[in-house]
């Protein structure tokens, strides 16, 4: 398998730690000192022969940062998009480039750079099953993560007909994809036992996906075939889910049960590190009557003192402090838009 890491995201909901030149995938959020991108690369390397077999697609703005984070990665394996056009152009362009080097029969896997995954060996076993399915059938395989609670922040995949077992894992045709549901719908999904979270991981033979892309988004493929990345200014901004996965009849799902989180915002740290502690503390903290609060600083010298607070996010980075209610972290993007409209705050983005 040729693993490809999708590393072009901004991770704006982790501001102020995440900035334009230092997005979420470059950060170590668990105190380990290993960034999310580095952890993803380490997890995927056993799937391929060496660093020569690992690819990263990112933005031109982040290309140098990727090389710094992954110095063993050959520079020719970094594809730098001139501008962001969401995941469909990224996947299509990379697939075309992989085909040039390895041919259309090779199996490729696409993996977000900013996910946390427990049990890496179980994760790799699942991917071996996905690779077997992709090699033996004309399938676009996605991993469906078994839900642990009725999340309204993830997309869902409904499994349809069973198509057999692969390396010990059952596989199913995808009955449908559903975008982020409301709480009541999410609870109904969990009760059926047929739904899993959409982990955003795809495994397929190159030729299978190129054929499907030419069927459903022919203008995207023809532009990239003709101009390569020079076509980006004219490409439509569209996700791979909308462009292909919700239309193709070749989508299959492998339900998986390893620990997984997409760490979409600061609340992800509570799911990752919370346990039975009253707060998540990644800073020196002196608190009285404080609970359910996430505290983070990028400096070992900072001290945060709290008194009588609950369910807040407090983040300190440089000369910026963010204080937010935990249920408002999804709105950080709106704050950044406000900052972006004022010239005096451009250096904070």
């Amino acid at each position: 398998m040729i693993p490809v890491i999708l590393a072009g995201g901004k991770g704006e909901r982790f501001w102020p730690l995440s900035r334009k030149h230092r997005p979420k995938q470059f950060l170590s959020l668990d105190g380990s000192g290993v960034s999310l991108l580095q952890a993803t690369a380490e997890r995927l390397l056993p799937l391929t022969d060496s660093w020569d077999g690992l690819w990263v697609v990112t933005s031109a703005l982040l290309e140098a940062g990727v090389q710094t984070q992954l110095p063993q990665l050959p520079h020719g394996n970094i594809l730098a998009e001139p501008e962001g056009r969401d995941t469909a152009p990224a996947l299509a362009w990379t697939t075309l480039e992989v085909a040039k080097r390895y041919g259309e029969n090779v199996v490729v896997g696409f993996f977000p750079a900013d996910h946390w995954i427990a049990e890496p060996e179980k994760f790799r076993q699942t991917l071996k099953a996905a690779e077997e399915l992709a090699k033996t059938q004309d399938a676009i395989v996605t991993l469906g993560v078994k839900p642990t609670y009725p999340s309204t922040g993830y997309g869902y995949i409904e499994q349809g007909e069973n198509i057999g077992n692969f390396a010990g894992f059952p596989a199913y045709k995808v009955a449908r994809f559903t975008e982020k549901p409301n709480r009541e719908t999410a609870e109904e999904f969990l009760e059926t036992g047929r739904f899993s979270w959409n982990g955003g991981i795809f495994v397929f033979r190159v030729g299978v996906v190129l054929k499907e892309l030419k069927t459903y988004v022919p203008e995207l493929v023809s532009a990239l075939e003709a101009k390569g990345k020079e076509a980006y200014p004219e490409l439509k901004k569209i996700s791979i889910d909308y462009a292909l996965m919700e239309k193709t009849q070749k989508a299959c799902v492998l339900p998986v049960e390893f620990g997984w989180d997409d760490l979409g915002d600061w609340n992800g740290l509570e799911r990752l590190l919370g346990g039975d502690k009253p707060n998540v503390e990644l800073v020196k903290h002196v608190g009285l009557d404080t609970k359910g609060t996430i505290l983070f600083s990028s400096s070992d010298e900072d001290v945060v003192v709290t008194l009588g607070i609950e369910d807040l996010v407090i983040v300190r980075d440089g000369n910026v402090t963010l204080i937010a209610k935990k249920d408002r972290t999804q709105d950080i993007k709106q704050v950044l838009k406000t900052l972006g409209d004022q010239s005096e705050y451009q250096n904070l983005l």
Side-chain angles (χ1 to χ4, degrees):
M1 180 190 298
I2 302 299
V4 178
I5 302 175
L6 295 162
K10 299 176 182 177
E12 290 178 322
R13 289 189 290 268
F14 271 93
W15 184 88
L17 193 62
S18 179
R19 309 284 183 108
K20 282 183 178 178
H21 290 86
R22 190 185 63 195
K24 177 175 60 169
Q25 57 269 30
F26 289 1
L27 304 176
S28 173
L29 295 169
D30 60 2
S32 68
V34 177
S35 75
L36 292 168
L37 174 61
Q38 290 167 335
T40 301
E42 290 174 7
R43 202 161 48 234
L44 295 174
L45 273 173
L47 298 173
T48 187
D49 293 335
S50 65
W51 283 96
D52 290 341
L54 181 70
W55 291 47
V56 175
V57 57
T58 188
S59 68
L61 182 68
L62 302 178
E63 182 180 8
V66 169
Q67 192 73 77
T68 299
Q69 291 246 321
L70 304 176
Q72 307 97 317
L73 185 69
H75 189 262
N77 288 15
I78 301 176
L79 299 183
E81 298 178 288
E83 51 191 284
R85 284 291 183 263
D86 215 324
T87 51
L91 187 144
W93 180 40
T94 306
T95 302
L96 285 166
E97 293 301 311
V98 169
K100 290 177 185 177
R101 191 180 301 185
Y102 300 102
E104 294 195 358
N105 282 325
V106 71
V107 173
V108 64
F110 281 82
F111 306 89
D114 53 2
H115 288 183
W116 171 83
I117 292 176
E119 303 171 277
E121 186 54 40
K122 190 173 184 180
F123 169 74
R124 287 188 287 268
Q125 290 171 1
T126 307
L127 289 173
K128 289 295 184 183
E131 184 177 21
E132 181 181 319
L133 173 53
K135 281 181 176 178
T136 57
Q137 298 193 24
D138 288 352
I140 305 172
V141 188
T142 184
L143 301 191
V145 180
K146 185 177 180 179
T148 53
Y149 64 98
S151 171
T152 59
Y154 297 146
Y156 285 75
I157 304 169
E158 182 179 9
Q159 62 194 46
E161 171 194 358
N162 180 286
I163 57 172
N165 276 49
F166 299 84
F169 291 84
Y172 303 85
K173 297 289 287 184
V174 170
R176 62 168 164 155
F177 290 90
T178 302
E179 283 301 300
K180 303 172 182 178
N182 59 34
R183 176 84 181 190
E184 182 180 358
T185 302
E187 290 174 348
E188 291 173 359
F189 284 176
L190 262 64
E191 287 177 7
T192 69
R194 297 194 311 271
F195 287 82
S196 52
W197 288 334
N198 186 352
I201 293 172
F202 306 100
V203 178
F204 49 79
R205 264 183 292 128
V206 164
V208 172
V209 156
L210 288 180
K211 183 177 179 181
E212 291 296 279
L213 287 169
K214 289 174 182 178
T215 299
Y216 295 105
V217 278
E219 67 286 353
L220 171 62
V221 180
S222 60
L224 288 169
E225 284 181 326
K227 301 180 182 180
K229 67 179 181 180
E230 304 303 321
Y232 263 75
E234 65 193 63
L235 298 181
K236 179 180 178 182
K237 187 175 182 179
I238 186 170
S239 73
I240 193 62
D241 287 334
Y242 285 123
L244 178 61
M245 298 307 293
E246 295 181 5
K247 300 172 182 176
T248 181
Q249 299 299 306
K250 299 185 184 300
C252 299
V253 59
L254 280 176
V256 297
E257 296 187 27
F258 48 74
W260 171 90
D261 202 300
D262 79 341
L263 299 177
D265 61 26
W266 285 107
N267 288 302
L269 294 192
E270 188 167 57
R271 296 190 296 270
L272 181 60
L273 303 172
D276 55 2
K277 302 173 186 175
N279 304 292
V280 175
E281 302 175 356
L282 289 164
V283 63
K284 294 175 184 175
H285 173 229
V286 179
L288 181 62
D289 296 329
T290 297
K291 62 180 181 179
T293 293
I294 300 165
L295 304 107
F296 188 104
S297 174
S298 57
S299 171
D300 293 335
E301 298 180 0
D302 285 346
V303 178
V304 176
V305 181
T306 61
L307 174 61
I309 65 171
E310 186 174 346
D311 294 336
L312 294 183
V313 173
I314 301 173
V315 181
R316 178 78 176 161
D317 182 64
N319 63 339
V320 180
T321 302
L322 168 72
I323 303 172
K325 290 183 177 180
K326 280 160 61 174
D327 62 2
R328 294 295 303 276
T329 53
Q330 293 286 322
D331 297 329
I332 289 176
K333 284 187 174 184
Q334 295 180 28
V335 174
L336 294 182
K337 187 177 185 305
T338 301
L339 292 173
D341 290 339
Q342 302 179 53
S343 59
E344 63 183 304
Y345 296 132
Q346 292 296 311
N347 64 320
L348 302 181
L349 300 177

